[in-house]
């Protein structure tokens, strides 16, 4: 009985492979209702899963769809995934850098989840940009220009797609076993040989403590071992937003600035260098310092920016159509001092209130709205100076400046 499986997990007992397989596949077939799956997900969230259960769930996710194979087309295919953050536009920057270093990149990305943005939404703010490529189109493009960013193809881990949407609206996103199986199943089914995971920790991330981030890292590496995939994890801060911008078009424009060698004084730039170097190092089997040298060269010689332009053109995007709203309001400093902190979560909430993210699955995103920081942590400010510009269309409630900026 279905309810027996829910009760077993509610009592904190271990589910067998066949119970997990049966329950999740029945959901995908429509024989288990959303409310029953939600109950099981909540029981998992509260009671956790053993490693064996997580391995079983990952396998069930992978087996729910196709498994791509790039052997013969890409050797040592390396993929990267972030657990999601505020202002996280790293993929837009590092995919062209890594490709410009001669490492082919096929990046399958997702949409926003909770207050965290998604790469696919960001790319769609470039008018005309196609994010729904078929397997054949992906293979042709990676052979032609060495870089592709697309949404997950239709039949790749369809089980994860269904569960992910339900988790988003049932308060079951922040579960280590569910995050591990969701991300690892997608990376394995996507054909990666080597996997780099950027685990975000902080108030603007799915995980709030370093202890949880370390546990997620361990679990993902264990899953990798089963499938003979090398998994490297980086744990990075998400108490502060990444870079200057939050919001879809604004983030694309910031990524372009970095690729052009501007705005390189932010935490975003440092993280991009670190992630791109790790990807090149993993793929080429060289040490990270040697990989970083290649990364700087690709950036400084303009090859990474040219690769980005090639990518946009190939996927039919028109950068002239990546625009921001003309309606702006300013957040100003209430006093003289130095910025001690900028609250990522509060900025994430504001961006969703502006329309840059979704409140429910069906919501349409407003690509032109968001927030651009004028000052970063450590900067000196004067009373009345602009701390951030808010780009908006519809009316919104401006949060108190103190909830976002701590000025000491
Ligand atoms: N990203 C994913 O792909 N899945 C999760 O569960 C969380 C972040």
């Amino acid at each position: 009985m279905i309810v027996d499986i829910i009760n077993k997990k509610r009592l904190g007992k271990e589910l067998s492979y066949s119970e997990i397989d049966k329950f999740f596949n029945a959901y995908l077939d429509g024989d288990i209702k959303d409310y029953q799956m939600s109950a099981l997900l909540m029981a998992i969230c509260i009671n956790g899963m053993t490693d064996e259960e997580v391995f079983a769930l990952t396998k069930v996710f992978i087996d729910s769809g196709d498994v791509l194979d790039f052997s013969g087309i890409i050797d040592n295919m390396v993929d990267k995934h972030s657990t999601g953050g505020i202002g996280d536009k790293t993929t837009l920057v590092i995919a062209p850098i890594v490709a410009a270093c001669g490492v082919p990149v096929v990046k399958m990305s997702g949409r926003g989840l909770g207050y965290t943005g998604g790469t696919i939404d960001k790319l769609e703010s470039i008018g005309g940009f196609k994010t729904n490529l078929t397997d054949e189109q992906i293979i042709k493009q990676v052979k032609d220009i060495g870089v592709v960013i697309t949404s997950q193809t239709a039949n790749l881990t369809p089980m994860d797609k269904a569960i992910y949407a339900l988790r988003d609206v049932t308060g079951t996103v922040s579960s280590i076993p569910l995050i591990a199986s969701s991300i690892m199943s997608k990376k394995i089914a996507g054909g990666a040989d080597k996997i780099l995971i950027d685990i975000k920790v902080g108030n603007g991330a799915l995980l709030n403590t370093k202890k949880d981030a370390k546990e997620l890292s361990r679990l993902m590496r264990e899953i990798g071992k089963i499938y003979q995939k090398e998994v490297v994890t980086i744990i990075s801060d998400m108490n502060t937003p990444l870079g200057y911008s939050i919001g879809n078009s604004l983030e694309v424009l910031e990524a372009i600035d970095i690729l052009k060698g501007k705005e390189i004084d932010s935490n975003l730039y440092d993280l991009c260098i670190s992630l791109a170097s790790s990807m090149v190092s993993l793929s080429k089997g060289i040490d990270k310092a040697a990989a970083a040298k290649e990364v700087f060269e690709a950036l400084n010689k303009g090859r990474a920016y040219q690769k980005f332009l090639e990518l946009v053109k190939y996927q039919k995007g028109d950068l002239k159509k990546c625009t921001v709203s003309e309606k702006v309001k300013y957040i100003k400093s209430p006093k003289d001092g130095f910025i001690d902190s900028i609250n990522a979560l509060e900025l994430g909430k504001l961006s969703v209130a502006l329309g840059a993210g979704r409140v429910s699955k069906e919501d349409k995103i407003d690509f032109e709205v968001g927030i651009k920081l004028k000052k970063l942590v450590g900067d000196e400010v004067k009373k009345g100076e602009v701390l951030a510009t808010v780009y908006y269309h519809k009316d919104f409630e401006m949060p108190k400046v103190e909830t976002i900026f701590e000025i000491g």
Side-chain angles (χ1 to χ4, degrees), residues 61 81-84 110-111 113 116 152 160 164 167 172-184 186-187 206 216 220:
F61 278 7
H81 199 92
S82 156
T83 57
R111 296 190 183 276
L113 185 68
T116 67
Q152 217 171 291
D160 175 65
Y164 196 85
R167 283 170 58 208
T172 52
V173 166
S174 303
S175 151
I176 294 172
L178 294 177
I179 297 173
S181 46
S182 163
I183 293 180
M184 290 305 291
K186 282 188 288 235
K187 298 295 103 180
L206 301 183
L216 180 62
M220 287 175 148

